[in-house]
C-alpha cells in the first residue's frame, strides 16, 4: 500500500508541477517486473466490467510500462494512473461528487498519456489489440466498398 500511495503522490505532484525527486528515491529499488505482472491480474477483472473502449488506454499504458526502455519515472506515473483508475479509492469520490469524482481519474489518465504517448508504438498497439481480442472477442471493422 505504501508503493501505491507513493506512486499516486508522485503523479499528483507531477500534475501540480512540484519536485518529485525525493519521492522517486523511495521507489528506485522497486521490483517493477513483479509489479507489472501483478498489475495484469488486477487489470483484467476491471476491464471485463469497464468494457473494451475504457480498457484500451490502460493496456497501452501497461505495455509501455512493460517495455525495458521505460524510465522509472514513467513507470511510476503509469502504475499510479492504472491503479488510481481501477481501484475503488479516489481523492475525489465520484459517489459523493459525481462529475468531479470522475474528472480526477480523467486528469490523471490524460496527464500520463501526454507524457508517454510517443512510446506507444505500433508493436504496443498490436499487443493491446491482441489482449482486447482475447478478453472481449474479435472486433470486426466494417469495410465500405
Amino acid at each position: 500500500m505504501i508503493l501505491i500511495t507513493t506512486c499516486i503522490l508522485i503523479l499528483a505532484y507531477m500534475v501540480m508541477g512540484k519536485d518529485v525527486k525525493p519521492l522517486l528515491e523511495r521507489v528506485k529499488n522497486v521490483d517493477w517486473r513483479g509489479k507489472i505482472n501483478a498489475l495484469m491480474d488486477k487489470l483484467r477483472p476491471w476491464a471485463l466490467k469497464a468494457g473494451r473502449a475504457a480498457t484500451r488506454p490502460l493496456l497501452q499504458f501497461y505495455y509501455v510500462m512493460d517495455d525495458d526502455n521505460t524510465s522509472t519515472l514513467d513507470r511510476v506515473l503509469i502504475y499510479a494512473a492504472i491503479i488510481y483508475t481501477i481501484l475503488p479509492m479516489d481523492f475525489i469520490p465520484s459517489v459523493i461528487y459525481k462529475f468531479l469524482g470522475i474528472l480526477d481519474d480523467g486528469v490523471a489518465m490524460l496527464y500520463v498519456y501526454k507524457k508517454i504517448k510517443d512510446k506507444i508504438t505500433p508493436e504496443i498497439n498490436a499487443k493491446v489489440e491482441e489482449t482486447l481480442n482475447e478478453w472481449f472477442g474479435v472486433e470486426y471493422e466494417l469495410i465500405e466498398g
Side-chain angles (χ1 to χ4, degrees), residues 24-142:
L24 272 176
E25 283 297 312
R26 296 183 190 175
V27 297
K28 69 178 180 182
N29 295 321
V30 168
D31 170 24
W32 286 109
R33 183 61 39 217
K35 296 298 174 194
I36 291 166
N37 293 337
L39 196 54
M40 186 58 87
D41 294 337
K42 292 180 176 92
L43 185 55
R44 188 167 194 252
W46 177 89
L48 295 176
K49 291 177 189 172
R52 187 181 193 105
T55 301
R56 181 174 279 109
L58 293 181
L59 284 173
Q60 287 173 321
F61 286 8
Y62 172 84
Y63 286 115
V64 169
M65 186 179 176
D66 190 37
D67 189 308
D68 291 334
N69 297 317
T70 301
S71 71
T72 299
L73 177 58
D74 286 344
R75 281 195 169 121
V76 166
L77 294 175
I78 292 167
Y79 185 76
I82 292 173
I83 290 292
Y84 194 68
T85 301
I86 67 176
L87 290 182
M89 67 177 188
D90 270 339
F91 287 126
I92 304 172
S94 57
V95 172
I96 298 169
Y97 297 103
K98 308 293 183 228
F99 180 70
L100 284 177
I102 296 168
L103 189 61
D104 68 329
D105 288 0
V107 167
M109 292 291 293
L110 185 59
Y111 180 83
V112 173
Y113 178 77
K114 284 184 168 188
K115 296 287 279 176
I116 61 113
K117 69 182 176 186
D118 60 322
K119 295 177 172 93
I120 301 172
T121 64
E123 293 79 17
I124 285 175
N125 279 328
K127 288 180 188 178
V128 167
E129 289 308 314
E130 183 179 314
T131 303
L132 289 171
N133 288 340
E134 179 184 318
W135 291 356
F136 296 100
V138 177
E139 188 174 73
Y140 296 98
E141 292 183 23
L142 293 176

